[in-house]
Structures are given as C-alpha cells and as structure tokens.
Amino acid sequence: MSGTNNYIIPPKWPLKFLRFLLKEEYLEEIEGDMEERFRDNLELFSANKARRLYAWDTLKLLRPTLMRGLRGYYRVNHTAMLKSYFTVAWRNLLKQKAYSTLNIMGLCLGIACVLLIAIHLNDELSYESSFPKHECIYRVSFEGWAKSAPPMAEILAEFYPEIQQTARFYYMYPRILRYKEFQSEEDHGYMADSTAFSVFDFKLVQGDPQQIFRTPHSMVVTESMARKYFGDENPLGKVLMNNSTEFQVTGVVEDLPSNTHLRINFLVSMATFYKDIPENMTDSRGWMATYTYALFNEQKDVKKARERLPELLLDYYKEWGTPEEILAKMNWTFMPLDDIHLHSSLIQEMGPNSDIIYIYVFAAIGLFILLIASINFINIFTTQSLKRMKEVGIRRAIGAKKNQLLGQFLGEAFMVTLMASTLAILLFTLVLPFYNQLAGKQIVASQAFSVDNLLIIVGIILTVGLLSGLYPAFFVSGFSPLKALAGAKKPRSSAGIMRKGLLVFQFVVAVFMVVSTLVVYQQMQYFHDKKLGFDKDQVVAVNLFGDLKQKFAENGAALKAELIQSLNISHIGTASNLPGDGLSVESVVPDGVPEDNELPTVKVLRVDENYLSTLQIELKEGRNFSRQFNDSAAFIINETAAKLLNIDDPVGSYVTNQTRNLHGPIVGVIKDYHFSSLHNPMEPLVLEYNPNWNNFLLVKLQGGKIPETISGLEANIQKIVPNYLFNYQFLDDRINLLYQDEAKMSTLFKFFALFAIMIACLGLFGLSAHASEIRTKEVAIRKAIGATITQVVQLLSREFIVLVMIGNLVAWPLAWWAMNQWLDNFTYHVAIHWGVFAVASGLSLLVALLTVSYHAIKTALANPVDSLRNE
Amino acid sequence: MKKYRLGEFQELVLMTVIVLQEDAYGVEIQRNLEERLNERLSVGAIQTALKRMVEKGFLTSAFGEATQKRGGKRKRIYQATPYAHRVLHEMKDIRSSLWQAMPDLGLSST
C-alpha cells in the first residue's frame, strides 16, 4: 500500500447510507472492510473508478441479513406511542391551519388531475377489450384504405384455414329513417354479414339468432335505437323506412360499449347489399367498399398468414402485371383490432380515431402534475417541520430511534395524503361530467371506480404518499438531537438548495405547459383563420337524398332560381362531397399519354355550374362549367393537378377518366384551394361536371338574419318535398370538425396548464409565507432603522422571482423543441413566435409576484413594535 | 444434505475461513476467494454469507486489531466451529461417493 493515496477518501454519502441502514453491531466491521477494499481498489484503478466501485458495493450491501429492520429494538407500548403520534399530528395540522389547508389543497388538486388522466388513459387503452375475441380479430385493409373490396372476405376465408370467420360492414347511405310519422337522422348504420354477431359477440336481446339475417332488408337495431323509434312497443316485426325501402326489424342487440371504434346503431342483412347493388360492383375487386374483419383461430396464426399473403396476391391479381409489380402495388395488411383506435388513421376510417402520441402526452402531463404536487408537499412539509425541531430534539433525547421518527413523519405524510386523496376523489366525481364534455368521453363515476381503476387510485395515493413523505421524513429524522434542541428556536434560511431546485423545477413544468398551450392555441387559430382558397363563411350544406335529390337532379336550375328569389341567398351550388370529406380517388389521364406511362391518381369531385361561385373559388384560366356549352363530360382541374398531369396548355385539351370511363375537355384551371384538412399537403383535384351526383346543396347566405333564412329554406324545401327531413350544417363547422382532435387537446391543455400553475403557486405561497415569517424580526429591525415598504417587499420577493426566472430560462428551449416536434405533424403550421415565451414568462412572473407579494406586503406593513416586542 | 442448509457459496467462504486461519476477516476472505474463483465479489456477498453462517453456528468471531488502512476500524476474525468441520467432511464424503458412482461417459476432461 502506498502512502500517496492516503489523502483520497471514499465518497461520503454511501457511508451515511450504510450507517442508517445496516445493523449497528455490524457497522464497524463492514465500514472497515469497505475502507480497506477502497484502498485496494485505489492501487488498481483510478480514484474515480474506486469511488464508483465503493458506491456500487455499498448498494450491494443492502441485503436483508445485514440490514436493520424498520422496527426499533425495544418493546415499547406501541399503541400509546401511536396514539401520541396521531394526537401530535392532528394538533400540528390544526395549529398550522393555513399551511395544512395549502398542503391538502395542493395535493388534492394534483391527485384529482392525475386521477382524471389515469382514468382517461385507462379508457383509451381499453378500446375493443370488451369483445371476448378481440385479440384474434384483424381488420383487412388495402393500401392505406380502411376498407377493402367486397369479395375479399370470401377469398381470404377460402385461402386461409386459420381464419375462422370473416365479417363485413358496408356503410348505409342515405341515413334518414322513418317509423310511421316519426323520422330521424341515423348515422352509423351498416349492412353486415350475419357472422358479425359471432365475430364480435354482439349480445342479441330479442330475436332468433338463426333467423335475424335470413332475408334481404332485415334489420337488427340497438336497444337505444329501438327505444327511440318504438318506445315501449315490441320492436320485432316493425317496419322502418329509409327513402322508399322498407326494413323489417328482426332483432335487438345491446348497445355497443363506448370504448370501441365500431359505432353501430343498426345492422341490415348483407343479402340487401347483393340485392340492391349491381353485381359488377359487388363483385369488383377494386371497389373499396366494405370494412372486412377476419377472426383467426389463434393470434399466432396471423404471423404465418402474413407470410403467405404474397402467394395469395400473386394468384389473385394474376393478370395485373409482373409479380414484382403486383407485390409492390397490392398492399394488403392485417391490422390488429386492438391497434385501430390508437395506431390507425387510414382513408375512410369508421370514425375519427385517437393517436398514441396523445397517450404519451397525457401520461407525461399526469406525471408532471403529480411531481409538482408532490414537490409542493415536500417543500411545505419540510419548512413546517423545521418549526418542530424542539419536538424532534426532545423525542430523540428521551430515546426515540431514527426509525421511529421516520415512521412518525412518514405516517403524518400519509395521513395528509389520505385526507387529500379523499377530497380528490370527491372533486374528481364532481369534475368528471365536465371533463367528459371537454375530452369527448363517456366515463361515468361508477365505472371510474371499477376494481381496475381502484387499483390505479390506490397506486397513485401510495406513490404520492411515499414520494412526498420520504424526503421530509428522512430530513426530519436526520436532525441530530443536540442541534435540534439547540437550533429549535431559529430555523435557518427558508429555502435550502433542495427546495430551491424543486421550486425551479415546478416552474419549468408550469411555464412549459403555458408555452405549449399557447402554441397549440395559435395553431388552432391558424386553422381557423387560414385562407383556404374558398369562402367557408355563411355557407350552409343541406343533405340531399331521396325525392329532393331527384328533383334537384331533374330540375335544379329552376328550383335554385326559385330559392334565390324568395330568400336572402346569393348562390346555390351542388356537390358530391363537402370540403374535408374523403374524395373519390380516380385515374385521370390526358390524351396522347402512352398507356404504359402511369400517372398518379387524383381526387375527383362532382359539382354543378354554381359550385365555384358559391364557394368563391378563383378561376385562373378558362371558364366555368355551363349549361349552355352542353358540358356532358367536362373537367376543371386545380393548379397542382395541372402540374402533375404535365399539360402545357390545359384549357382545351382532352382527358379521360379511366376509372369512370369518361372522355372530355378541360375547360378551366382553378387556383389551389384546401379541399382537405391542413394536415395534408395540397393534392391534385379534378372537378367533374355532374349536376346529378348531388349529395349536398351548398347555399351561400347573404348576411344578416341567418336563423330566419334557414327556417325559410326549410319551409321552402318542405314545399318542394313534403315531410322532407331538413338536415343541414354550416360549412365552417364542418371544417372545424377536421381539427377536433387538436381542439380537444387544446382545451385539455388549457385545463391542465391552469392546474399546473395553480398548484405551483400554492407551493410558492407556502414557501413565501414561511420566508416572510422567519424574517419578521429582520424586517422589523430594518423598518425601525428606516427601510421603506418597497425596499422590504423587494427584499422578500427577490429570491423567488429569480428562481421563477431561472425556471423560465430552462423551460423555453424545452418547450420550443417539443412544440416544433408537434407542429411538424402539420403540413401547414404556424412558426413559434417569441411573443409566446414573453407571455408565458410574463404570466408566470406576474402570478408568482402576486403570490409572493401577499406575504411580503403583509410582513412589510406590520408594525415593527409588535414583532420586536415578542422577543 | 438439506438439514445443514449450507449453500455452495457459503461452503466456499467457510473453507476459505479455514484456510486463512488467523487472517480470516472480511476483505481478506474476499481477496482470497476472488483469486481462486477469478471473478469480482462484493463486500455484501461475503458479509451476508459470513453473518448467515454465524447465525447457523458454523462460525464464531472476535474482534482483531485495527489498522490505518481500515480507517481505524477493527477487523473481525472468523473461526470455523467443530460442527462446521464435521459438516464439510460429510459433504465431501457425499460428493466423492457420487463421483465414484458416476459412470465414465468418456467426458472426463483430464
């Protein structure tokens, strides 16, 4: 052993740790061993490595044989002691009413928030789990489409022995149903295979499972729908009308749970599909019309099935090209049912799905709020326990072991946590309906307290109790008896490094959340205000179906003129789809392009001659459609399409829509307008002149008296077709729907950011109160000597303001990075403006200043005589 | 063998204690064993084994001298009890009888 190394000493903290945790009778020997070992290591390795090894070895000493138990060694009267703990804890809570309230409130808010988030996440993650066979159900999708061709189900079932059953759903349109005089719009109606009932285990409440789907036009409705149309009458055998088709109710199923992507109000037998739709469609391999689900025998079969897919594709698409081409183009996938809600956003999903990213974001927010709340607790608890040094000193002096003190303070922390949790659960129940509305959920309190969720709740309470109790308990029990007694009169400075650090951390989180909220909000505003290239304001879209659709197809011009004349309307156009709808994807090819030269597909929209003027879309070249020119097949394309099709002089040139077999001239080019959501880049669009394909009437109102105009519109339309169910939406509402995910997130963000700041400020309030309190005498003396109130307030708040500012500085780059990541989701997005940071820091400083100055001013205003006399 | 509850590692430590005689204290045992096993051990592993064997009556111990290298802490010297010696011998007998009973499969490494 060389003497040179003697000045190097092992790190201190592991030793403290050891002394605290190991049995006392073993300490001397083991400490000696550790020291000797350390010296040995110094000979072999660098000092740093030796220190690391020392620390590592210390951790490895934590074995039950060597550690002391948490119980003390002496048999004492435990009940009496416990009783004393409770009395002391309770008296202490009451003595410090303000702090106790702060502490309990902060924790209660935090726990309530986390409960909400936990229940929310639990609900999101539980999607589809209510179907018994959910793990073996897969959705077949095709090239980014949620739907697949009708014959696909049968082909799969034949090819794969592993597939037990397949089930298809075909969306029904139009959606108006009528029973006697009662009629209503019914979304979520599908034609379905009878196997759907066994694949998804829909619970049939009424009806014979063998008979329900025997014939075309049989219908099975959900219980709530049955109640809506038939009230207390027996639904079986009743007839519902859609348009001019009659459906006979043959069964009633239980309502589907809310946590599934399947939204079904009624199902109609698949035989209807084959009866009502032409054979060349139902047999088409290219018509992506049905949602196809396959039930595999076992989950592990799917892997094999995926491997054999190319085999099936090559056989199925034999005549479509070389094997390489087929495999490159024909991309079928089996998507697990359980993944659909969080991992799928294909074209034509059954409804809007959520995204896994939101799960992460929410989990992070929950964690942070929990941390902020716990930090508060730690800060307030430790500062308050400083006042109890005398108690600790006496307890130690008369023989309390560290463990007992640890137990006592941990117990107190748990007591407070438990009180806060009880309140939090109460608060949670109160807030739940409000939250459901914000988050678009349907969680009921009774469901929130299921066994699963109760476990989560207990877990959260335990975590918070431990998280927030451990440090203060160690802190307090670590007082040496002598110091504790001697120092009992004057606790030292209010904020140790630990407390300062924690405070800074809280504000980092709070500022981060404020910045994020502002950026999300700005992005939402951007969506709202972005020039879309057309005028969405004061445009009403009326659903056309049945007789009315027919009448507008036959005699549109006259009907439109009549409406414009009698009402406050400037334009009326018709269209097959609204902006934001998924458009038909078709192949449009200019004349003269060689056949093997493949052009990408374009989106096609069918409109009449008034579409452009109604939405005020700008023509760049050429002319609008017109009845005069007898445009039997004519096209207008957008700029992107012109570029894509690579036509030098588009107006006047001829194109063929190969998908629909239409040949006609391009009569005009329009400026690009955002016909789909701003998540996507601009796509090529072809407008086709077709007044018969009129699913929507677009009505441009002329400003003012909108309600009157709309009721006038309804009256007029019902004059044309009596009893017509007038169904309309505002175009801007429709467009806002595209961003409802973000809108929801924005609201929730606001909600939680508010909470975060509130909780952080509660902590600041507690700390500043304490800081002012212990400096009362100092302030009094300063005032007596002649300090002004302003000077005193400055003195007391400076420290906190600096900490909040540090929090800001740390939060900025973090928030900037995170929000840039988020904004990258959108093709069109705002740039992060420095003002956002200014607002966030201004806000946090202001709130912090207000919080702190309350105590500072109170202390500053106090009469120095009062505080000094108490000496 | 079960009644002795002497684990393999404990057995090694026990034998090292006997080998080291007056030098049998924590780190020295560890050094010796590390050399033989050619792997790093932790203080915790050795100490646990020692303490467990004291509890079971295989070892007794007494404080020895303190050295500067130990930061002035005393060593604790361990000594095997007669009971420990007996158990070790029994285990050796059981092992050797098993070795003899094993058929020669041509796998012996020597």
Side-chain angles (χ1 to χ4, degrees):
Chain A
M1 165 180 141
S2 70
T4 50
N5 278 335
N6 270 346
Y7 65 94
I8 300 176
I9 50 164
K12 285 258 165 58
W13 65 264
L15 210 60
K16 280 190 189 160
F17 200 55
L18 277 188
R19 286 186 185 148
F20 182 73
L21 285 167
L22 293 190
K23 281 186 184 152
E24 254 161 41
E25 67 259 39
Y26 294 162
L27 266 182
E28 177 168 1
E29 176 197 1
I30 293 180
E31 271 183 41
D33 273 8
M34 291 293 295
E35 177 94 18
E36 194 175 333
R37 182 82 173 153
F38 179 69
R39 297 287 152 215
D40 283 350
N41 284 336
L42 275 182
E43 310 266 304
L44 299 170
F45 312 112
S46 71
N48 277 335
K49 175 148 188 197
R51 285 198 196 98
R52 267 205 311 279
L53 285 172
Y54 184 87
W56 182 230
D57 261 4
T58 310
L59 290 180
K60 286 198 179 161
L61 274 166
L62 302 180
R63 292 157 190 257
T65 323
L66 304 177
M67 275 161 68
R68 56 170 92 180
L70 265 181
R71 277 162 273 116
Y73 303 126
Y74 309 99
R75 293 206 165 269
V76 284
N77 186 341
H78 287 298
T79 28
M81 214 53 218
L82 276 180
K83 217 175 131 193
S84 148
Y85 289 155
F86 269 111
T87 324
V88 169
W90 184 247
R91 280 182 192 156
N92 201 50
L93 271 181
L94 289 185
K95 200 167 126 198
Q96 317 265 358
K97 277 199 197 73
Y99 291 109
S100 312
T101 321
L102 269 183
N103 223 350
I104 294 179
M105 250 169 60
L107 211 50
C108 161
L109 282 180
I111 295 178
C113 259
V114 174
L115 277 182
L116 278 178
I117 292 180
I119 305 290
H120 176 109
L121 292 190
N122 197 31
D123 183 65
E124 286 280 297
L125 293 172
S126 73
Y127 261 65
E128 323 300 346
S129 60
S130 48
F131 302 122
K133 301 169 201 153
H134 63 104
E135 283 172 346
C136 296
I137 303 175
Y138 286 73
R139 186 177 70 185
V140 186
S141 54
F142 175 80
E143 278 199 329
W145 288 75
K147 294 181 183 174
S148 41
M152 202 182 269
E154 204 186 333
I155 291 157
L156 284 170
E158 270 171 18
F159 185 75
Y160 288 116
E162 301 94 318
I163 292 183
Q164 216 176 70
Q165 270 179 327
T166 57
R168 291 171 300 170
F169 297 91
Y170 172 77
Y171 183 70
M172 297 251 305
Y173 195 92
R175 314 184 286 215
I176 311 295
L177 287 178
R178 176 180 310 173
Y179 174 65
K180 293 184 182 161
E181 264 73 67
F182 178 77
Q183 56 181 6
S184 161
E185 184 181 14
E186 222 45 73
D187 206 351
H188 312 307
Y190 294 90
M191 296 184 195
D193 290 308
S194 57
T195 47
F197 290 87
S198 54
V199 169
F200 289 96
D201 289 277
F202 296 143
K203 289 183 194 69
L204 208 59
V205 196
Q206 274 184 290
D208 176 357
Q210 301 303 318
Q211 302 296 324
I212 43 174
F213 273 1
R214 268 291 172 80
T215 51
H217 304 124
S218 319
M219 181 188 262
V220 170
V221 296
T222 56
E223 283 180 297
S224 52
M225 193 175 138
R227 217 171 302 125
K228 180 164 145 194
Y229 284 85
F230 312 116
D232 296 333
E233 297 174 46
N234 180 6
L236 287 193
K238 293 277 180 327
V239 170
L240 280 169
M241 295 271 296
N242 149 340
N243 222 355
S244 52
T245 321
E246 293 186 349
F247 297 97
Q248 194 175 32
V249 177
T250 53
V252 179
V253 284
E254 258 182 27
D255 286 359
L256 265 64
S258 65
N259 58 349
T260 164
H261 83 287
L262 290 180
R263 296 252 167 265
I264 293 174
N265 281 340
F266 66 89
L267 293 174
V268 169
S269 59
M270 208 62 181
T272 323
F273 180 72
Y274 288 103
K275 185 157 184 277
D276 291 0
I277 292 171
E279 209 177 298
N280 64 346
M281 301 279 279
T282 56
D283 284 351
S284 161
R285 296 175 186 190
W287 187 42
M288 300 301 145
T290 56
Y291 298 98
T292 308
Y293 296 85
L295 172 65
F296 284 84
N297 288 323
E298 274 182 274
Q299 212 181 340
K300 64 177 197 299
D301 289 340
V302 180
K303 195 169 164 272
K304 268 190 294 173
R306 287 199 179 113
E307 281 163 13
R308 283 182 57 210
L309 199 52
E311 202 182 314
L312 171 64
L313 293 180
L314 289 181
D315 181 54
Y316 184 54
Y317 290 112
K318 254 194 308 265
E319 65 274 28
W320 288 38
T322 66
E324 292 77 36
E325 278 172 3
I326 293 171
L327 290 184
K329 260 188 356 196
M330 302 303 155
N331 196 4
W332 293 15
T333 44
F334 297 114
M335 169 165 257
L337 183 68
D338 291 350
D339 280 0
I340 291 176
H341 179 62
L342 292 176
H343 296 277
S344 175
S345 58
L346 304 181
I347 303 167
Q348 299 198 347
E349 292 279 355
M350 265 195 186
N353 287 332
S354 183
D355 193 330
I356 189 78
I357 195 84
Y358 294 128
I359 301 289
Y360 296 139
V361 169
F362 270 95
I365 292 180
L367 197 73
F368 279 130
I369 288 187
L370 196 64
L371 272 178
I372 295 189
S374 303
I375 288 173
N376 259 352
F377 189 91
I378 291 173
N379 275 344
I380 299 182
F381 201 93
T382 42
T383 43
Q384 287 317 294
S385 61
L386 284 171
K387 288 187 188 155
R388 292 169 67 184
M389 277 193 150
K390 197 182 269 170
E391 181 195 335
V392 175
I394 291 172
R395 277 187 191 275
R396 294 226 56 183
I398 59 175
K401 291 274 162 199
K402 266 186 179 180
N403 297 336
Q404 290 173 319
L405 281 172
L406 189 74
Q408 183 196 342
F409 279 89
L410 207 54
E412 271 185 37
F414 263 101
M415 197 168 109
V416 179
T417 317
L418 213 63
M419 287 161 99
S421 312
T422 319
L423 286 176
I425 291 177
L426 218 70
L427 183 67
F428 168 76
T429 328
L430 287 176
V431 175
L432 195 60
F434 175 61
Y435 183 79
N436 275 336
Q437 215 175 358
L438 281 186
K441 290 257 161 218
Q442 293 144 23
I443 305 169
V444 280
S446 62
Q447 170 198 346
F449 296 119
S450 65
V451 182
D452 256 20
N453 290 345
L454 276 181
L455 280 181
I456 296 176
I457 294 173
V458 171
I460 291 173
I461 293 174
L462 281 180
T463 319
V464 176
L466 270 181
L467 208 65
S468 41
L470 262 183
Y471 174 75
F474 270 102
F475 176 78
V476 173
S477 60
F479 294 158
S480 84
L482 199 65
K483 271 194 199 151
L485 276 176
K489 276 183 186 163
K490 41 174 194 322
R492 279 187 311 111
S493 135
S494 69
I497 284 290
M498 176 84 171
R499 253 162 289 148
K500 283 183 187 164
L502 291 177
L503 191 71
V504 169
F505 177 79
Q506 286 184 312
F507 272 88
V508 170
V509 175
V511 171
F512 181 91
M513 293 197 57
V514 174
V515 171
S516 312
T517 310
L518 289 174
V519 173
V520 173
Y521 177 75
Q522 282 190 338
Q523 179 68 17
M524 294 314 297
Q525 278 308 108
Y526 176 79
F527 282 150
H528 196 261
D529 301 338
K530 167 101 170 106
K531 296 264 173 295
L532 295 174
F534 65 94
D535 189 6
K536 64 183 189 315
D537 295 324
Q538 300 194 356
V539 177
V540 172
V542 179
N543 276 351
L544 289 185
F545 57 89
D547 292 347
L548 190 66
K549 180 174 177 157
Q550 199 59 37
K551 291 218 160 134
F552 266 98
E554 285 162 4
N555 195 15
L559 288 172
K560 284 177 206 160
E562 211 178 295
L563 284 174
I564 289 177
Q565 209 177 18
S566 57
L567 292 162
N568 199 13
I569 291 171
S570 61
H571 300 276
I572 301 181
T574 64
S576 57
N577 302 80
L578 297 180
D581 286 353
L583 295 182
S584 173
V585 178
E586 297 172 12
S587 158
V588 175
V589 182
D591 285 5
V593 174
E595 265 201 24
D596 50 337
N597 190 355
E598 265 196 61
L599 284 167
T601 48
V602 297
K603 301 264 170 106
V604 180
L605 179 67
R606 275 83 198 182
V607 300
D608 70 349
E609 67 276 11
N610 298 321
Y611 182 78
L612 294 185
S613 52
T614 308
L615 294 186
Q616 292 175 13
I617 297 166
E618 215 178 310
L619 255 178
K620 206 178 140 203
E621 289 173 55
R623 60 166 175 90
N624 194 355
F625 298 127
S626 159
R627 296 216 171 221
Q628 291 164 0
F629 288 91
N630 191 17
D631 290 326
S632 60
F635 304 94
I636 291 179
I637 62 178
N638 70 355
E639 291 168 293
T640 309
K643 236 175 282 160
L644 181 89
L645 297 177
N646 204 6
I647 319 173
D648 294 334
D649 194 11
V651 176
S653 66
Y654 277 73
V655 291
T656 309
N657 179 343
Q658 294 180 330
T659 313
R660 304 272 167 194
N661 226 346
L662 277 175
H663 184 250
I666 296 177
V667 297
V669 178
I670 48 169
K671 287 214 162 149
D672 280 341
Y673 74 103
H674 290 280
F675 59 91
S676 72
S677 95
L678 294 170
H679 293 95
N680 314 319
M682 184 57 69
E683 287 175 290
L685 176 72
V686 171
L687 302 181
E688 184 184 302
Y689 182 63
N690 190 341
N692 298 326
W693 198 324
N694 53 351
N695 293 327
F696 296 96
L697 202 59
L698 290 166
V699 181
K700 172 86 176 170
L701 311 180
Q702 223 160 17
K705 296 192 180 169
I706 289 175
E708 286 84 350
T709 315
I710 288 181
S711 53
L713 192 62
E714 176 170 13
N716 270 291
I717 279 180
Q718 282 178 342
K719 240 187 280 167
I720 304 170
V721 178
N723 270 335
Y724 185 81
L725 187 78
F726 183 67
N727 187 275
Y728 73 95
Q729 54 190 322
F730 280 97
L731 196 56
D732 46 358
D733 288 345
R734 164 76 190 90
I735 286 164
N736 286 340
L737 272 185
L738 297 175
Y739 311 113
Q740 62 176 355
D741 249 16
E742 286 80 19
K744 220 186 284 167
M745 194 166 113
S746 154
T747 338
L748 288 177
F749 249 126
K750 265 183 246 165
F751 184 76
F752 286 122
L754 194 74
F755 264 93
I757 293 195
M758 256 162 72
I759 301 173
C761 280
L762 280 180
L764 198 59
F765 193 74
L767 280 187
S768 63
H770 180 76
S772 316
E773 200 172 294
I774 59 172
R775 294 172 86 169
T776 317
K777 223 155 267 161
E778 181 195 335
V779 169
I781 293 171
R782 279 177 192 271
K783 279 188 74 177
I785 301 175
T788 63
I789 291 177
T790 331
Q791 281 170 331
V792 171
V793 172
Q794 262 177 13
L795 174 79
L796 290 175
S797 21
R798 190 186 300 132
E799 184 184 29
F800 292 107
I801 298 307
V802 168
L803 291 179
V804 172
M805 263 152 62
I806 296 176
N808 267 298
L809 287 180
V810 179
W812 290 348
L814 292 176
W816 188 81
W817 179 82
M819 287 333 281
N820 265 330
Q821 295 287 314
W822 181 72
L823 287 174
D824 276 347
N825 281 327
F826 309 98
T827 310
Y828 301 92
H829 60 78
V830 290
I832 300 177
H833 191 252
W834 62 267
V836 167
F837 299 105
V839 169
S841 32
L843 189 71
S844 62
L845 280 175
L846 183 74
V847 177
L849 202 63
L850 283 178
T851 316
V852 172
S853 61
Y854 170 78
H855 291 290
I857 293 173
K858 206 168 101 183
T859 315
L861 287 179
N863 189 343
V865 175
D866 292 333
S867 12
L868 286 176
R869 201 171 42 195
N870 291 336
E871 184 73 322
Chain B
M1 240 187 344
K2 201 180 170 193
K3 65 180 168 180
Y4 308 122
R5 294 177 189 280
L6 187 59
E8 186 210 15
F9 185 71
Q10 289 181 6
E11 190 186 346
L12 289 170
V13 173
L14 179 56
M15 291 172 80
T16 318
V17 168
I18 297 171
V19 169
L20 287 172
Q21 294 293 325
E22 280 84 39
D23 267 342
Y25 70 98
V27 182
E28 191 55 41
I29 300 170
Q30 189 178 349
R31 274 195 287 259
N32 200 296
L33 207 51
E34 278 181 344
E35 225 164 85
R36 284 179 205 277
L37 296 178
N38 196 22
E39 66 177 302
R40 224 186 90 83
L41 300 171
S42 72
V43 173
I46 300 287
Q47 286 292 350
T48 314
L50 288 171
K51 297 297 181 262
R52 291 291 293 146
M53 286 194 289
V54 170
E55 272 172 34
K56 286 189 264 180
F58 291 114
L59 292 175
T60 56
S61 70
F63 273 121
E65 92 273 28
T67 65
Q68 195 218 344
K69 189 180 176 185
R70 297 177 61 80
K73 305 283 188 324
R74 285 174 296 172
K75 292 173 181 170
R76 185 178 277 275
I77 308 292
Y78 290 86
Q79 200 183 4
T81 59
Y83 171 60
H85 281 280
R86 206 179 66 227
V87 170
L88 279 176
H89 276 289
E90 273 175 37
M91 286 179 74
K92 189 188 163 202
D93 291 345
I94 294 170
R95 289 226 166 91
S96 51
S97 77
L98 277 170
W99 271 108
Q100 272 161 15
M102 280 209 300
D104 183 7
L105 295 171
L107 294 171
S108 58
S109 51
T110 46

